[in-house]
Amino acid sequence: MCSKKDEMKKKFRVVGTRPIRPDGIEKVTGQALYGADLHAPNMLVGKMLRINEPHAIIKSINISKAQKLPGVKAIITFQDFMEVSTNKTNDILENCLANKKVLYDGHAVAAVAAINSEIAKKALDLIDIELEMLPFVVDVDTAMQKGSPVVQLGRKHENVSDDFSDNVTSFCSFGHGILEDGYKNAAKVIERSFKTPSVHQGYIEPHACLASMTADGRSDLWCCTQGQYNVRAICADIMGIEESKLRVTASEIGGGFGGKTTVFIEPIALALSLKAGHPVKIVMTREEVFKATGPTVSSSIDIKMGMSKLGIITAAHAVIRYEGGAFPNETYELGAQSAFAAYDLKAVKSEGYNVLTNRPAQAAYRAPGAPQAIFAVESAVDELCEQLNLDPLETRLKNAAKKGTKASYGPTFDEIGLIATLESAKKHPHYAAPLAQNQGRGISCGFWFNFGGNTCVSLNINFDGTVGIIEGNPDIGGSRASISQMAAEELGIPLERIRTVIADTNSLGHNDVTDGSRVTFSVGLATIKAAKAAKKEMCKRVAKLWKIHEDAVIWKDGYVLPAGPNAGDQEPLSLKEIAAMSAQTGGPIAGHHEVNAEGAGVSFGVHLVDVEVDPETGQTKILRYTVFQDAGKAVHPSYVEGQMQGGSVQGIGWALNEEYIYDSSGKLQNSGFLDYRIPVASDLPMIEPVILEIPNPGHPYGVRGVGETSIVPPLAAICNAVSRATNIRFTELPLSPPKVLSAILGKE
Amino acid sequence: MNKIRVGVSVNNDKIEFLCSPEDTVLDVLRDNLRLTGTKEGCGTGDCGACSIILDDKLVCSCLVLAGEVEGSEISTIEGMAIDGKLHPLQQNFLKHAALQCGICTPGILIAAKALLERNPDPTETEVRYWLAGNLCRCTGYDKIIRAVMDAAAEMRS
Ligand code: FES
Ligand code: FES
């Protein structure tokens, strides 16, 4: 049979090397087209009117003055949209454009399309809005209390206790074993409360789109998104058209990290375009990005944990409260599920709540829900180690989850790499390096589920022996390269002969959003299978040509050859030769694969960090940072390292600086990069990546997703390091200089 | 609307444009001249995505009014590769995988070029401080710093 031996392939020719990415030249010369880079003839500029109040009833919207302004072509409000089919889509639409109430500072109430941005801005000023202010709530703990202002009525699920306000929409609980028995067997039990702020993904490219919609519903949408198919599904539902009528093309994307998995402006641009009869482009300002797109949840978490003298965690309990803004979401579940995933525990329970507040609707942010919960758990583990005088790395090794461990959230783990990453950290010189005064070392484990999901890939063998791959997930950080590499590997041809393009929604079947670290895994898997299908067809063609049975030919390193001496002594035929003959042997050759991929394989990482805290200023400096992560198989190691480094630095920002700051009137105080400070080059040392490869049994080449785990450990690793450097246990992020300084001064 | 007529050289080409008094150089580059390689990340001088070289000075083009650049020389990312040959910085960014999404890349390349023109042998710390005005959210800067250092070494030899 064709391609049988390939399954067992151990040595790779292309996978594991570091070629130049195929979309590189466009991106270093400024030719690549991102969301805001497209212009259409006769294009209008769209702008949104946003209200800078946290909570108010919209009494009236008067657009008559604005409509009369020359150059204004269309104005829309929520009333211009028809009813949508699901609660979920309605939430998305109401987040784009407020219906009866303004729910957060920055919520939009109207949109204008005009011939230029000057006129559009003037028109916004001419729209009269009458509001009735309502009391508001932005803090998670306050929002849960009875008597707190209620953001949206009627969203509470049945399983939520009546002791809470109506802002508490959902509850979940996971775990096994008897906690009380575990606490009895502990040498030490601690109970701690933790808080993490809401932080923004901080992609450098603001949301942008260009829409064109005609009266018969046929429409085109160009936008920066992590998932063009999801954009199509949401927008088609909102606009009341069939999906086939709406073609969505994903531009190059300037970062997403989860934040570009939903829509904020796309349906608005479509509706404006329909009304005006022109293409409409909307580009968000940075302030709009901060105020009205989705930051991650803020949290308040309680941990109770017991540990034996030898360092065994005897029982652990987490209560997780996530605030994700004005609309319900499921991030609390991911938090409750991931909290204790790194440990093999006899008695464990994690409970999660979702809470509504007058803040923008949260969106996914790299491993959504996991960093907050794991920050709390890893901080508690570290404090117990300190109190019981135990080595924090050895202790984690003693409790580490492994193959066969029943995870706290239900499943039993297959091959996983946690122990290997911990062992690798233990052996690394970083762990034994000396520390000076005011310095501390922190460690934390991290975890992410990884997803597979719906995926389509088409692979065409061109007549000249080159190969075109069509896939449906935007290239967010080198995936064209890794997908081309896997195809080159499978087909046994040089990488340069392959070109991978990203399809619009009408050129390929459905693909799930680029999220859950799914692309290299799922699209890679589908690409390999599509290549196998093409190889099978090529074997068939050659067998026909040689007039022997299909089973009598085999595929080897880019050639079809007779399977053995009985099959004849024909000269092997290369892919290029077979391609050249394809018109004569039955027509063009292609392979394709469609799958709802499973077996993504969970991912673990361990981070080590050394910090120095300045006792005079409270400022924390990162001195050394090492990341250990299981990649299954690193297809393009440079981009795997990039994921490990980039995620770590986002986590460093979260731990040390980043936070949404609301004032006493419920308004966001830092909606720009000056006051919302993400890490800059001079804040950081090199980030050393150590890739481990524990093959994922669910992928032909052993690949696991690597994109998200790296943002999980930095929060606790840094907090543990700062706590050890200062001898003060911190439980609230960010560890900004004023906070650390006041704790230091308080101790003295 | 009173438009202003402005003559400049962009990447060594003499051009003229009409702009409104409130238009920035970034607006004109992107919207009038369709040179969209220069990016807008914030519009307030905080991200460096819009970096250009204006008469030998590295500036954020979102902070410079287009009406005030009459007679000046502007270099943008589109002018960095000469006759299709990539600048050593561009080559090293590719070699080191110093870009993930690539939206910060034009600004960082322009800023790094301005650094190497002043200081052909910068230390790691000097590179980090020089690029502190250019935000990158994807890479954690590690590979960017290495690419700049290697390009500098290559250009010295
Ligand atoms: S766009 Fe000019 S500095 Fe950000
Ligand atoms: S590569 Fe994405 S912001 Fe720098």
Side-chain angles (χ1 to χ4, degrees):
Chain A
M1 267 285 288
C2 204
S3 78
K4 203 157 145 198
K5 288 244 168 67
D6 294 335
E7 296 290 353
M8 315 307 315
K9 195 175 316 191
K10 287 257 152 52
K11 274 215 194 96
F12 293 101
R13 190 177 50 87
V14 189
V15 164
T17 64
R18 302 173 185 244
I20 303 275
R21 65 193 283 173
D23 53 335
I25 292 180
E26 293 96 305
K27 287 179 178 165
V28 297
T29 54
Q31 293 172 60
L33 293 175
Y34 291 81
D37 295 343
L38 207 67
H39 292 79
N42 222 0
M43 177 180 97
L44 303 176
V45 175
K47 293 221 176 284
M48 321 262 299
L49 178 63
R50 298 186 181 278
I51 301 297
N52 295 124
E53 293 293 342
H55 200 189
I57 296 171
I58 303 169
K59 305 283 272 188
S60 68
I61 303 177
N62 187 341
I63 60 170
S64 55
K65 265 187 278 169
Q67 247 166 347
K68 286 188 202 114
L69 186 70
V72 171
K73 300 285 177 184
I75 302 181
I76 58 164
T77 66
F78 188 87
Q79 307 317 322
D80 285 272
F81 292 89
M82 57 200 112
E83 223 170 282
V84 297
S85 66
T86 65
N87 239 344
K88 204 161 174 164
T89 313
N90 191 63
D91 281 353
I92 293 172
L93 176 58
E94 280 200 31
N95 187 38
C96 293
L97 215 47
N99 181 6
K100 298 196 167 78
K101 286 208 295 183
V102 170
L103 294 170
Y104 54 87
D105 173 21
H107 205 170
V109 295
V112 171
I115 54 168
N116 62 39
S117 67
E118 225 180 306
I119 294 172
K121 272 187 224 157
K122 259 190 211 141
L124 293 184
D125 289 340
L126 292 175
I127 297 176
D128 283 326
I129 310 280
E130 201 188 330
L131 297 172
E132 179 188 325
M133 303 307 166
L134 294 171
F136 65 90
V137 61
V138 291
D139 173 69
V140 59
D141 291 320
T142 317
M144 289 181 84
Q145 287 164 20
K146 279 238 143 148
S148 148
V150 173
V151 179
Q152 287 201 59
L153 268 174
R155 304 309 294 262
K156 191 174 194 158
H157 290 174
E158 275 170 9
N159 67 341
V160 177
S161 152
D162 281 336
D163 296 344
F164 300 120
S165 81
D166 280 6
N167 291 321
V168 183
T169 60
S170 346
F171 169 74
C172 65
S173 175
F174 301 91
H176 55 251
I178 299 163
L179 291 174
E180 283 319 311
D181 292 356
Y183 293 132
K184 266 187 234 141
N185 295 332
K188 185 97 205 166
V189 177
I190 59 169
E191 289 183 65
R192 294 287 178 269
S193 297
F194 300 87
K195 280 204 133 182
T196 65
S198 108
V199 294
H200 197 273
Q201 297 83 351
Y203 32 82
I204 305 301
E205 179 199 31
H207 298 256
C209 69
L210 173 58
S212 161
M213 183 164 185
T214 51
D216 65 359
R218 226 169 303 209
S219 13
D220 262 294
L221 179 62
W222 159 277
C223 59
C224 56
T225 176
Q226 290 175 244
Q228 60 272 42
Y229 297 88
N230 190 43
V231 169
R232 178 177 71 172
I234 296 169
C235 291
D237 192 5
I238 289 177
M239 300 309 295
I241 54 175
E242 294 99 3
E243 290 196 5
S244 62
K245 284 205 170 146
L246 172 57
R247 177 173 63 171
V248 182
T249 307
S251 68
E252 293 303 325
I253 178 170
F257 316 109
K260 290 177 183 164
T261 52
T262 182
V263 303
F264 300 103
I265 50 176
E266 292 79 357
I268 309 301
L270 283 166
L272 284 170
S273 167
L274 178 65
K275 202 161 179 176
H278 292 241
V280 173
K281 178 164 160 179
I282 299 182
V283 181
M284 273 190 164
T285 64
R286 180 55 54 181
E287 186 182 7
E288 286 183 288
V289 173
F290 274 114
K291 284 192 161 181
T293 66
T296 185
V297 298
S298 71
S299 77
S300 157
I301 300 170
D302 297 337
I303 301 284
K304 183 175 180 187
M305 190 181 281
M307 194 179 271
S308 75
K309 262 211 186 75
L310 292 173
I312 303 296
I313 301 170
T314 57
H317 182 197
V319 181
I320 290 163
R321 308 170 202 95
Y322 284 178
E323 160 284 315
F327 297 90
N329 65 82
E330 283 85 46
T331 305
Y332 70 104
E333 265 182 353
L334 298 173
Q337 291 177 334
S338 58
F340 296 109
Y343 297 117
D344 189 350
L345 302 173
K346 276 219 179 67
V348 57
K349 186 173 183 183
S350 57
E351 296 165 283
Y353 294 94
N354 178 63
V355 185
L356 301 181
T357 60
N358 294 109
R359 293 189 184 214
Q362 68 99 48
Y365 181 19
R366 212 169 196 155
Q372 299 91 333
I374 291 175
F375 158 66
V377 170
E378 290 291 304
S379 297
V381 171
D382 201 66
E383 185 178 349
L384 281 166
C385 290
E386 223 179 10
Q387 293 202 15
L388 293 166
N389 226 337
L390 295 164
D391 180 272
L393 212 160
E394 289 292 348
T395 305
R396 283 174 170 87
L397 264 170
K398 275 185 195 152
N399 293 286
K402 50 192 162 297
K403 184 175 180 173
T405 293
K406 184 175 160 54
S408 56
Y409 64 97
T412 301
F413 288 134
D414 198 338
E415 293 293 346
I416 55 172
L418 179 57
I419 291 196
T421 39
L422 282 163
E423 294 282 4
S424 161
K426 197 168 110 181
K427 283 199 290 262
H428 195 279
H430 185 167
Y431 197 58
L435 289 168
Q437 219 199 341
N438 297 323
Q439 297 181 353
R441 176 163 302 141
I443 176 176
S444 172
C445 298
F447 160 83
W448 184 243
F449 304 90
N450 286 348
F451 300 154
N454 293 298
T455 309
C456 296
V457 168
S458 281
L459 184 149
N460 297 305
I461 311 286
N462 303 323
F463 285 165
D464 69 351
T466 60
V467 172
I469 295 172
I470 306 164
E471 54 113 341
N473 283 95
D475 184 346
I476 207 151
S479 58
R480 284 185 188 93
S482 62
I483 289 158
S484 304
Q485 280 177 278
M486 285 184 266
E489 187 73 52
E490 192 62 39
L491 293 171
I493 60 172
L495 187 63
E496 304 69 51
R497 299 239 299 263
I498 295 177
R499 177 159 189 197
T500 299
V501 300
I502 292 144
D504 64 60
T505 50
N506 291 41
S507 307
L508 187 69
H510 176 94
N511 282 272
D512 285 347
V513 173
T514 299
D515 70 355
S517 300
R518 64 177 288 279
V519 174
T520 311
F521 168 76
S522 304
V523 181
L525 180 107
T527 301
I528 293 167
K529 298 243 168 119
K532 285 186 194 298
K535 288 196 311 193
K536 193 165 191 291
E537 179 62 24
M538 286 187 272
C539 287
K540 214 157 109 188
R541 301 283 176 97
V542 173
K544 215 164 117 193
L545 198 73
W546 288 344
K547 302 199 171 59
I548 54 179
H549 194 266
E550 232 178 283
D551 286 349
V553 302
I554 56 165
W555 181 278
K556 197 162 181 271
D557 302 334
Y559 287 85
V560 173
L561 49 155
N566 293 342
D569 57 357
Q570 294 87 341
E571 279 294 303
L573 283 175
S574 68
L575 183 147
K576 196 170 175 174
E577 290 165 314
I578 302 166
M581 296 185 298
S582 44
Q584 288 76 46
T585 58
I589 297 170
H592 60 97
H593 192 74
E594 296 75 32
V595 64
N596 188 355
E598 286 179 22
V602 297
S603 160
F604 287 96
V606 173
H607 291 198
L608 275 182
V609 57
D610 294 353
V611 304
E612 181 165 314
V613 181
D614 183 343
E616 308 276 301
T617 62
Q619 179 135 28
T620 299
K621 190 168 168 51
I622 307 284
L623 301 173
R624 185 170 183 179
Y625 205 104
T626 314
V627 186
F628 305 85
Q629 193 175 318
D630 170 19
K633 174 72 203 169
V635 179
H636 191 310
S638 297
Y639 290 102
V640 171
E641 290 166 3
Q643 291 296 320
M644 291 160 73
Q645 294 165 329
S648 300
V649 169
Q650 287 184 318
I652 290 171
W654 198 338
L656 291 179
N657 289 308
E658 295 178 35
E659 63 179 318
Y660 265 46
I661 300 171
Y662 281 90
D663 68 9
S664 57
S665 62
K667 293 178 191 166
L668 183 62
Q669 286 304 289
N670 56 339
S671 55
F673 278 135
L674 188 62
D675 298 316
Y676 183 96
R677 194 177 182 287
I678 72 171
V680 302
S682 55
D683 294 340
L684 299 160
M686 293 298 185
I687 309 289
E688 186 186 343
V690 179
I691 301 175
L692 287 103
E693 296 187 324
I694 294 96
N696 170 20
H699 186 279
Y701 296 168
V703 170
R704 282 176 211 275
V706 293
E708 291 169 287
T709 305
S710 56
I711 199 174
V712 179
L715 283 63
I718 290 167
C719 192
N720 291 337
V722 172
S723 298
R724 284 171 183 264
T726 55
N727 274 315
I728 301 167
R729 269 287 148 190
F730 289 91
T731 54
E732 200 171 306
L733 299 181
L735 297 165
S736 50
K739 198 182 285 168
V740 174
L741 185 62
S742 85
I744 292 172
L745 294 176
K747 192 182 75 167
E748 274 163 5
Chain B
M1 251 180 306
N2 283 334
K3 293 269 185 185
I4 310 168
R5 180 183 213 92
V6 181
V8 289
S9 124
V10 178
N11 302 325
N12 295 322
D13 290 329
K14 292 250 170 294
I15 55 141
E16 281 193 347
F17 58 81
L18 287 177
C19 67
S20 302
E22 67 275 7
D23 282 346
T24 64
V25 171
L26 179 63
D27 294 332
V28 167
L29 286 172
R30 291 184 53 83
D31 298 334
N32 301 28
L33 307 177
R34 303 280 156 98
L35 291 171
T36 53
T38 305
K39 304 299 178 193
E40 174 160 359
C42 68
T44 50
D46 300 316
C47 77
C50 64
S51 299
I52 59 164
I53 294 175
L54 178 71
D55 292 335
D56 292 325
K57 274 222 295 284
L58 175 67
V59 298
C60 292
S61 60
C62 71
L63 294 183
V64 183
L65 287 175
E68 295 179 352
V69 296
E70 172 64 38
S72 54
E73 283 181 21
I74 291 172
S75 313
T76 70
I77 186 67
E78 285 89 350
M80 197 159 170
I82 311 269
D83 298 332
K85 188 169 165 12
L86 297 182
H87 187 278
L89 276 164
Q90 292 171 310
Q91 283 167 5
N92 274 283
F93 267 57
L94 293 179
K95 189 170 116 203
H96 286 271
L99 52 143
Q100 279 175 35
C101 79
I103 196 85
C104 66
T105 309
I108 293 187
L109 285 168
I110 289 288
K113 184 168 170 244
L115 167 67
L116 299 189
E117 273 159 16
R118 283 162 184 74
N119 179 357
D121 192 7
T123 63
E124 182 192 326
T125 308
E126 284 170 337
V127 177
R128 286 187 179 277
Y129 277 89
W130 182 269
L131 293 180
N134 289 84
L135 301 180
C136 173
R137 190 58 155 173
C138 296
T139 63
Y141 304 102
D142 185 302
K143 293 185 190 302
I144 292 176
I145 306 299
R146 288 177 202 275
V148 174
M149 303 284 290
D150 272 17
E154 212 177 292
M155 287 163 71
R156 287 193 306 273
S157 65

